[in-house]
Protein backbone atom coordinates (compact mmCIF):
# COMPACT_ATOMS: atom_id res chain seq x y z
CA UNK A 1 0.00 0.00 0.00
CA UNK A 2 1.47 3.42 -0.94
CA UNK A 3 2.83 5.34 2.05
CA UNK A 4 2.93 9.11 2.60
CA UNK A 5 3.92 11.48 5.39
CA UNK A 6 2.11 14.57 6.67
CA UNK A 7 2.39 16.88 9.66
CA UNK A 8 -0.06 16.37 12.49
CA UNK A 9 -1.76 19.62 11.49
CA UNK A 10 -2.90 17.92 8.28
CA UNK A 11 -5.11 15.58 10.33
CA UNK A 12 -8.56 17.08 10.87
CA UNK A 13 -11.08 14.82 12.54
CA UNK A 14 -11.67 11.83 10.28
CA UNK A 15 -9.93 13.39 7.30
CA UNK A 16 -6.32 14.00 6.26
CA UNK A 17 -5.25 16.45 3.59
CA UNK A 18 -2.11 15.82 1.54
CA UNK A 19 -0.48 18.78 -0.21
CA UNK A 20 2.86 19.51 -1.87
CA UNK A 21 4.88 17.19 -4.07
CA UNK A 22 3.04 14.04 -3.00
CA UNK A 23 -0.09 15.28 -4.78
CA UNK A 24 1.62 15.04 -8.15
CA UNK A 25 3.02 11.62 -7.24
CA UNK A 26 -0.41 10.30 -6.25
CA UNK A 27 -2.25 11.84 -9.20
CA UNK A 28 0.17 11.60 -12.11
CA UNK A 29 2.69 8.91 -11.19
CA UNK A 30 0.64 6.36 -9.27
CA UNK A 31 -2.55 7.53 -11.03
CA UNK A 32 -4.61 6.80 -7.95
CA UNK A 33 -8.32 7.51 -7.89
CA UNK A 34 -11.11 8.02 -5.41
CA UNK A 35 -11.79 4.83 -3.47
CA UNK A 36 -8.21 3.54 -3.45
CA UNK A 37 -6.45 2.95 -0.13
CA UNK A 38 -3.24 4.50 1.15
CA UNK A 39 -1.26 4.66 4.39
CA UNK A 40 -0.49 8.07 5.86
CA UNK A 41 2.01 8.54 8.68
CA UNK A 42 2.18 11.63 10.90
CA UNK A 43 5.96 11.30 11.27
CA UNK A 44 5.53 10.63 14.98
CA UNK A 45 5.19 6.84 14.82
CA UNK A 46 1.46 6.80 14.10
CA UNK A 47 -0.11 5.34 10.95
CA UNK A 48 -3.50 6.03 9.42
CA UNK A 49 -5.08 3.57 7.00
CA UNK A 50 -7.13 5.74 4.65
CA UNK A 51 -9.33 5.74 1.59
CA UNK A 52 -9.00 8.50 -0.99
CA UNK A 53 -12.05 10.74 -1.16
CA UNK A 54 -10.83 13.41 -3.55
CA UNK A 55 -7.88 14.00 -5.91
CA UNK A 56 -7.35 17.58 -7.10
CA UNK A 57 -4.44 19.50 -8.58
CA UNK A 58 -3.46 21.03 -5.24
CA UNK A 59 -4.52 18.42 -2.70
CA UNK A 60 -5.57 14.86 -1.98
CA UNK A 61 -8.28 14.35 0.63
CA UNK A 62 -8.33 11.00 2.43
CA UNK A 63 -10.74 9.61 5.02
CA UNK A 64 -9.33 7.71 7.97
CA UNK A 65 -10.45 4.08 8.23
CA UNK A 66 -8.27 3.12 11.19
CA UNK A 67 -5.17 4.29 13.00
CA UNK A 68 -2.49 2.77 15.17
CA UNK A 69 1.13 2.68 16.27
CA UNK A 70 3.49 2.24 13.32
CA UNK A 71 5.50 -0.35 15.22
CA UNK A 72 8.69 -0.21 13.15
CA UNK A 73 10.81 2.10 15.33
CA UNK A 74 13.54 0.87 17.66
CA UNK A 75 13.09 1.79 21.34
CA UNK A 76 16.58 3.34 21.28
CA UNK A 77 17.00 6.42 19.12
CA UNK A 78 20.25 5.92 17.22
CA UNK A 79 22.07 8.99 15.94
CA UNK A 80 24.76 8.47 13.34
CA UNK A 81 27.61 11.01 13.37
CA UNK A 82 29.09 10.38 9.95
CA UNK A 83 32.50 11.69 8.90
CA UNK A 84 31.97 13.30 5.50
CA UNK A 85 32.96 10.83 2.76
CA UNK A 86 33.94 11.52 -0.83
CA UNK A 87 31.66 11.70 -3.86
CA UNK A 88 28.13 10.31 -3.43
CA UNK A 89 28.85 7.84 -0.62
CA UNK A 90 26.87 9.98 1.82
CA UNK A 91 23.72 9.35 -0.20
CA UNK A 92 24.17 5.58 0.09
CA UNK A 93 24.92 5.85 3.81
CA UNK A 94 21.79 7.92 4.45
CA UNK A 95 19.55 5.64 2.43
CA UNK A 96 20.69 2.41 4.05
CA UNK A 97 21.04 3.76 7.60
CA UNK A 98 17.48 5.12 7.47
CA UNK A 99 16.33 1.65 6.42
CA UNK A 100 18.30 0.16 9.32
CA UNK A 101 16.65 2.42 11.91
CA UNK A 102 18.79 5.53 12.42
CA UNK A 103 16.73 8.26 14.09
CA UNK A 104 18.95 11.04 12.78
CA UNK A 105 22.14 11.55 10.82
CA UNK A 106 24.67 14.26 11.66
CA UNK A 107 27.39 14.85 9.04
CA UNK A 108 30.67 15.86 10.64
CA UNK A 109 34.04 17.22 9.61
CA UNK A 110 37.05 15.32 10.91
CA UNK A 111 40.78 15.80 10.48
CA UNK A 112 40.87 13.35 7.55
CA UNK A 113 37.68 14.50 5.81
CA UNK A 114 38.56 15.25 2.19
CA UNK A 115 35.28 16.99 1.37
CA UNK A 116 35.02 20.54 2.71
CA UNK A 117 31.59 22.14 2.34
CA UNK A 118 32.36 25.67 3.46
CA UNK A 119 29.87 27.41 1.16
CA UNK A 120 26.49 27.76 2.94
CA UNK A 121 24.48 27.58 -0.28
CA UNK A 122 26.23 24.39 -1.40
CA UNK A 123 25.77 22.86 2.04
CA UNK A 124 22.07 23.74 2.07
CA UNK A 125 21.61 22.22 -1.38
CA UNK A 126 23.35 19.04 -0.25
CA UNK A 127 21.22 18.83 2.89
CA UNK A 128 18.01 19.21 0.89
CA UNK A 129 19.12 16.37 -1.36
CA UNK A 130 20.08 14.21 1.64
CA UNK A 131 16.77 14.93 3.40
CA UNK A 132 14.83 13.88 0.29
CA UNK A 133 16.79 10.62 0.22
CA UNK A 134 15.98 10.06 3.91
CA UNK A 135 12.26 10.59 3.27
CA UNK A 136 12.27 8.21 0.30
CA UNK A 137 14.06 5.54 2.36
CA UNK A 138 11.63 6.05 5.25
CA UNK A 139 8.67 5.51 2.91
CA UNK A 140 10.22 2.39 1.38
CA UNK A 141 11.04 0.80 4.73
CA UNK A 142 7.81 1.73 6.53
CA UNK A 143 9.40 3.99 9.12
CA UNK A 144 7.23 5.76 11.68
CA UNK A 145 9.40 8.86 11.48
CA UNK A 146 11.43 10.66 8.83
CA UNK A 147 14.98 10.83 10.22
CA UNK A 148 16.39 14.36 10.19
CA UNK A 149 19.62 15.14 8.38
CA UNK A 150 21.30 17.78 10.50
CA UNK A 151 23.73 20.51 9.55
CA UNK A 152 27.41 19.66 9.20
CA UNK A 153 29.10 19.60 12.61
CA UNK A 154 32.72 20.08 13.56
CA UNK A 155 34.28 17.11 15.34
CA UNK A 156 34.16 19.03 18.62
CA UNK A 157 30.45 19.77 18.19
CA UNK A 158 29.79 16.11 17.35
CA UNK A 159 31.64 14.95 20.47
CA UNK A 160 29.64 17.29 22.67
CA UNK A 161 26.31 16.09 21.26
CA UNK A 162 27.22 12.41 21.36
CA UNK A 163 28.58 12.64 24.91
CA UNK A 164 25.27 14.13 26.08
CA UNK A 165 23.40 11.00 24.99
CA UNK A 166 22.82 7.96 27.17
CA UNK A 167 25.58 6.06 25.39
CA UNK A 168 28.02 6.65 22.53
CA UNK A 169 30.61 4.55 20.72
CA UNK A 170 33.29 5.05 18.07
CA UNK A 171 34.13 2.09 15.80
CA UNK A 172 37.91 2.24 15.33
CA UNK A 173 40.16 -0.06 13.31
CA UNK A 174 42.84 -0.21 16.04
CA UNK A 175 40.40 -1.16 18.80
CA UNK A 176 40.24 -4.79 19.91
CA UNK A 177 38.01 -7.15 21.84
CA UNK A 178 34.80 -8.34 20.21
CA UNK A 179 33.38 -9.22 23.61
CA UNK A 180 33.69 -5.57 24.65
CA UNK A 181 32.00 -4.54 21.39
CA UNK A 182 29.11 -6.93 22.01
CA UNK A 183 28.70 -5.60 25.55
CA UNK A 184 28.58 -2.07 24.15
CA UNK A 185 25.89 -3.04 21.61
CA UNK A 186 23.82 -4.75 24.31
CA UNK A 187 24.16 -1.69 26.53
CA UNK A 188 23.02 0.60 23.70
CA UNK A 189 19.98 -1.64 23.11
CA UNK A 190 18.77 -0.68 26.59
CA UNK A 191 19.30 3.06 26.19
CA UNK A 192 16.90 5.79 25.07
CA UNK A 193 19.46 7.65 22.95
CA UNK A 194 22.82 6.60 21.54
CA UNK A 195 25.45 8.16 19.32
CA UNK A 196 27.60 6.30 16.79
CA UNK A 197 30.66 8.10 15.44
CA UNK A 198 32.00 6.87 12.10
CA UNK A 199 35.16 8.23 10.53
CA UNK A 200 35.62 9.17 6.84
CA UNK A 201 37.69 7.15 4.34
CA UNK A 202 40.95 7.75 6.22
CA UNK A 203 39.45 6.89 9.58
CA UNK A 204 39.96 8.79 12.81
CA UNK A 205 43.28 10.20 13.92
CA UNK A 206 44.64 8.89 17.22
CA UNK A 207 44.17 12.34 18.73
CA UNK A 208 40.46 12.25 17.86
CA UNK A 209 40.08 8.83 19.48
CA UNK A 210 41.76 10.19 22.62
CA UNK A 211 39.43 13.20 22.68
CA UNK A 212 36.46 10.87 22.33
CA UNK A 213 37.70 8.70 25.20
CA UNK A 214 38.03 11.79 27.38
CA UNK A 215 34.38 12.53 26.60
CA UNK A 216 33.35 9.03 27.70
CA UNK A 217 32.95 7.67 24.15
CA UNK A 218 34.47 4.20 23.89
CA UNK A 219 36.32 2.92 20.82
CA UNK A 220 35.00 -0.48 19.68
CA UNK A 221 36.09 -2.99 17.08
CA UNK A 222 33.88 -4.35 14.28
CA UNK A 223 36.20 -7.26 13.55
CA UNK A 224 39.64 -8.01 12.16
CA UNK A 225 39.11 -6.40 8.76
CA UNK A 226 39.25 -2.69 8.00
CA UNK A 227 35.83 -1.65 6.70
CA UNK A 228 35.07 1.19 4.33
CA UNK A 229 33.26 4.11 5.95
CA UNK A 230 29.96 3.21 4.29
CA UNK A 231 30.33 -0.45 5.32
CA UNK A 232 31.15 0.43 8.94
CA UNK A 233 27.98 2.52 9.28
CA UNK A 234 25.78 -0.30 8.01
CA UNK A 235 27.58 -2.97 10.03
CA UNK A 236 27.29 -1.24 13.40
CA UNK A 237 23.63 -0.29 12.90
CA UNK A 238 22.85 -3.87 11.91
CA UNK A 239 24.58 -5.26 14.99
CA UNK A 240 22.85 -2.86 17.35
CA UNK A 241 19.50 -3.44 15.63
CA UNK A 242 19.92 -7.19 16.11
CA UNK A 243 20.69 -6.85 19.82
CA UNK A 244 17.75 -4.48 20.24
CA UNK A 245 15.32 -6.89 18.61
CA UNK A 246 16.61 -9.74 20.78
CA UNK A 247 16.00 -7.59 23.85
CA UNK A 248 12.47 -6.74 22.72
CA UNK A 249 11.65 -10.40 22.10
CA UNK A 250 12.96 -11.37 25.53
CA UNK A 251 10.93 -8.63 27.22
CA UNK A 252 7.73 -9.70 25.46
CA UNK A 253 8.38 -13.44 25.77
CA UNK A 254 8.44 -14.03 22.01
Amino acid sequence: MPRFYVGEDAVNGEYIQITGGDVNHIKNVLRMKKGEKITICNGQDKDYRCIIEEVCDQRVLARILESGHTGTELPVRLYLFQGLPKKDKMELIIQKCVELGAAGIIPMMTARSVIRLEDEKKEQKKRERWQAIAESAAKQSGRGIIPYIDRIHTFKEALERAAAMDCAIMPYENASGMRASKEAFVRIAGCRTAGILIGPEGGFEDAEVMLAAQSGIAAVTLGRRILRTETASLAVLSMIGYETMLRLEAEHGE
Side-chain angles (χ1 to χ4, degrees):
M1 188 181 298
R3 183 178 187 81
F4 303 94
Y5 292 87
V6 299
E8 189 60 33
D9 58 350
V11 182
N12 185 13
E14 63 176 322
Y15 291 95
I16 299 177
Q17 181 173 266
I18 298 175
T19 57
D22 282 337
V23 174
N24 177 68
H25 188 69
I26 292 171
K27 181 180 179 182
N28 300 316
V29 179
L30 298 178
R31 297 185 181 279
M32 300 190 77
K33 308 291 184 183
K34 178 179 178 179
E36 294 190 72
K37 294 179 181 179
I38 57 176
T39 297
I40 301 176
C41 180
N42 68 351
Q44 299 177 36
D45 209 18
K46 185 175 183 179
D47 278 2
Y48 298 90
R49 304 287 187 266
C50 303
I51 186 169
I52 295 175
E53 292 285 347
E54 183 182 273
V55 179
C56 301
D57 290 337
Q58 302 299 322
R59 72 165 191 171
V60 172
L61 186 66
R63 179 166 53 85
I64 299 171
L65 300 175
E66 60 180 350
S67 63
H69 181 61
T70 304
T72 58
E73 295 305 308
L74 297 173
V76 53
R77 298 182 73 82
L78 301 172
Y79 293 90
L80 176 69
F81 295 82
Q82 174 64 51
L84 278 177
K86 295 184 291 186
K87 298 183 179 180
D88 296 328
K89 289 182 180 179
M90 192 67 175
E91 296 186 3
L92 173 68
I93 291 169
I94 290 171
Q95 182 189 65
K96 299 309 176 188
C97 289
V98 168
E99 292 178 22
L100 288 168
I105 298 173
I106 301 95
M108 67 176 177
M109 299 294 301
T110 68
R112 293 177 179 169
S113 294
V114 175
I115 300 297
R116 300 283 171 178
L117 294 179
E118 297 176 348
D119 185 288
E120 289 187 9
K121 290 184 177 179
K122 289 183 178 180
E123 180 181 339
Q124 182 60 31
K125 188 174 181 180
K126 278 282 189 184
R127 284 183 61 199
E128 290 173 359
R129 167 71 178 162
W130 293 340
Q131 190 62 58
I133 290 171
E135 181 171 347
S136 177
K139 286 181 179 179
Q140 183 275 325
S141 56
R143 293 290 301 271
I145 65 170
I146 300 176
Y148 180 63
I149 311 302
D150 214 326
R151 64 174 178 82
I152 296 174
H153 283 44
T154 64
F155 184 69
K156 180 181 178 181
E157 290 173 330
L159 280 186
E160 290 174 352
R161 283 193 62 181
M165 296 180 182
D166 293 338
C167 187
I169 58 171
M170 171 187 279
Y172 179 51
E173 64 267 23
N174 292 329
S176 60
M178 285 302 296
R179 187 177 298 278
S181 294
K182 178 178 172 59
E183 290 173 354
F185 300 152
V186 171
R187 186 166 61 252
I188 287 175
C191 293
R192 292 176 300 172
T193 60
I196 303 163
L197 282 75
I198 302 291
E201 283 87 353
F204 290 113
E205 289 190 341
D206 290 343
E208 291 173 325
V209 178
M210 290 178 62
L211 283 173
Q214 291 170 8
S215 298
I217 300 171
V220 299
T221 180
L222 299 181
R224 296 181 178 179
R225 293 173 297 280
I226 297 176
L227 305 181
R228 295 179 186 270
T229 182
E230 63 271 30
T231 310
S233 302
L234 307 187
V236 70
L237 279 171
S238 297
M239 294 176 190
I240 293 173
Y242 174 75
E243 293 294 344
T244 304
M245 295 309 297
L246 283 181
R247 184 185 183 93
L248 282 175
E249 288 188 359
E251 289 176 351
H252 293 88
E254 296 178 8

